[in-house]
């Protein structure tokens, strides 16, 4: 049996288990299983690993994408630059070749190596690209957690200027109270990386001044459950282009599967 799964907390909103279960069934992979592992405290992660030697890959979601780094043996270059991991490859075996140095590393029997990646960046960039217009020069990133780090990385690669918006802003960030018509006229991409609006709290939405949105704006919500959050609905009412995070989920999941099987 080869097992894979998702760690995070809470996980009631996640589509990952169904996505991979359906994938395994369609491919007739009877000895493969994907499960949810709701870990409230990241300190329980080693216990999970020790309890099951059939685990070969883990996805990581809120709130553990940054804290999980402390448990990894290696982190690939992009994930290291991003500073957050959402995909872990569990390499089993007595002797394996280092994925990055080319050196042979010897393990004791049943020992494994944890290698971290960030597939969020890949999924976000591929799903965002078709929506970008020439006037989309600047972006607001709502939230500054692990997911936001991947978004920052992609925007830097695309040469799109950005500012973080946070309830507890640090230097060079906006607070939600700072946002006004002038700022929204300047920043015409708005990306929600926070869990606000996620099922079952679908009646919530980020506190931005929606009255200043126009048909030149692009609203991207990493939330995908519900399919259309209030954040997106309010943008659509003002003529803005909208995009939820489901395609990003699919793309990052397929990238994770590619990594686990490489």
């Amino acid at each position: 049996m080869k097992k894979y799964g998702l760690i995070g907390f809470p996980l009631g909103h996640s589509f990952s288990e169904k996505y991979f279960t359906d994938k395994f069934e369609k491919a007739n992979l009877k000895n493969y299983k994907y499960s949810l592992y709701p870990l409230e405290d990241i300190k329980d992660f080693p216990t999970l690993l020790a309890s099951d030697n059939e685990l070969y890959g883990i996805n990581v979601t809120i709130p553990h994408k940054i804290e999980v780094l402390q448990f990894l043996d290696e982190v690939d270059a992009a994930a290291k630059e991003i500073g957050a991991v959402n995909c872990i490859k569990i390499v089993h075996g007595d002797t394996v070749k280092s994925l990055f140095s080319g050196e042979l590393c010897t393990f004791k029997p049943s020992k494994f190596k944890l290698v971290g990646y960030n597939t969020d960046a890949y999924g976000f960039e591929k799903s965002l690209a078709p929506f970008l217009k020439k006037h989309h020069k600047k972006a607001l990133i709502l939230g500054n957690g692990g997911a936001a780090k991947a978004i920052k990385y992609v925007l830097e690669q695309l040469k799109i200027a950005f500012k973080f918006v946070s309830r507890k802003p640090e230097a060079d960030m906006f607070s939600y109270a700072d946002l006004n018509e002038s700022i929204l006229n300047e920043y015409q991409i708005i990306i929600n990386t926070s869990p606000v609006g996620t099922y079952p709290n679908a009646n919530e939405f980020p506190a931005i001044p929606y009255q200043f949105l126009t048909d030149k704006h692009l609203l991207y919500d990493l939330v995908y459950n519900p399919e259309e959050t209030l954040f997106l609905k309010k943008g659509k009412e003002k003529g803005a282009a909208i995009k939820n995070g489901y395609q990003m989920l699919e793309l990052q999941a397929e990238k994770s599967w590619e990594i686990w099987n490489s």
Side-chain angles (χ1 to χ4, degrees):
M1 176 70 74
K2 282 195 171 185
K3 297 179 181 178
Y4 304 87
L6 174 70
I7 63 169
F9 193 86
L11 295 179
H13 66 283
S14 176
F15 287 2
S16 296
E17 184 177 28
K18 183 179 187 307
Y19 182 86
F20 277 102
T21 299
D22 289 348
K23 180 180 180 66
F24 296 158
E25 288 179 356
K26 288 175 185 176
N28 199 31
L29 296 173
K30 296 179 180 178
N31 292 324
Y32 287 69
K33 184 178 181 180
Y34 192 100
S35 302
L36 301 181
Y37 301 104
L39 298 185
E40 188 168 5
D41 193 329
I42 193 60
K43 292 178 183 176
D44 294 329
F45 184 48
T47 303
L48 169 65
L49 294 172
S51 69
D52 196 337
N53 61 12
E54 294 181 327
L55 280 169
Y56 282 81
I58 293 289
N59 288 127
V60 185
T61 190
I62 293 170
H64 301 321
K65 293 183 180 185
I66 299 171
E67 290 185 331
V68 77
L69 286 163
Q70 65 189 291
F71 300 106
L72 305 183
D73 300 298
E74 293 184 7
V75 180
D76 91 324
K80 190 175 292 185
E81 184 175 344
I82 291 167
V85 159
N86 75 309
C87 173
I88 299 171
K89 181 174 183 176
I90 304 173
V91 184
H92 294 262
D94 296 338
T95 303
V96 298
K97 183 174 285 188
S98 167
L99 299 181
F100 305 107
S101 67
E103 299 173 354
L104 289 176
C105 302
T106 301
F107 294 98
K108 296 177 182 178
S110 78
K111 178 71 175 175
F112 49 79
K113 180 166 66 172
L114 304 179
V115 187
Y117 300 83
N118 192 299
T119 64
D120 280 338
Y122 171 83
F124 177 67
E125 182 173 3
K126 293 293 184 184
S127 59
L128 175 71
F131 290 83
L132 292 177
K133 307 296 183 185
K134 289 182 178 180
H135 62 271
H136 289 143
K137 306 288 188 184
K138 294 185 176 183
L140 295 176
I141 304 174
L142 309 184
N144 62 345
K149 289 180 178 293
I151 304 312
K152 170 182 179 288
Y153 175 82
V154 171
L155 294 178
E156 287 174 338
Q157 300 298 306
L158 296 174
K159 304 291 191 289
I160 295 175
F162 60 87
K163 282 270 194 179
F164 286 102
V165 182
S166 176
R167 289 176 299 173
K168 298 178 180 178
E170 300 171 8
D172 204 33
M173 291 184 183
F174 289 131
S175 71
Y176 283 92
D178 291 329
L179 301 182
N180 56 32
E181 184 173 9
S182 176
I183 290 173
L184 262 64
N185 284 341
E186 184 179 357
Y187 293 84
Q188 296 184 330
I189 305 171
I190 305 177
I191 305 153
N192 179 37
T193 72
S194 79
V196 175
T198 304
Y199 176 86
N201 301 311
N203 61 332
E204 298 177 356
F205 51 88
I208 67 170
Y210 294 91
Q211 66 270 28
F212 301 133
L213 295 176
T214 69
D215 59 4
K216 292 187 179 298
H217 283 89
L218 166 61
L219 270 59
Y220 192 117
D221 200 336
L222 268 62
V223 174
Y224 51 85
N225 183 10
E227 183 177 343
E228 193 172 278
T229 60
L230 279 177
F231 170 69
L232 295 181
K233 285 180 179 178
K234 288 175 174 291
K236 187 165 71 172
E237 288 171 0
K238 295 296 183 178
I242 62 170
K243 175 73 173 172
N244 74 12
Y246 190 74
Q247 185 185 22
M248 177 179 167
L249 169 74
E250 292 181 316
L251 288 165
Q252 69 83 18
E254 289 302 320
K255 193 66 174 178
S256 293
W257 182 242
E258 179 185 318
I259 287 167
W260 294 333
N261 288 280
S262 62

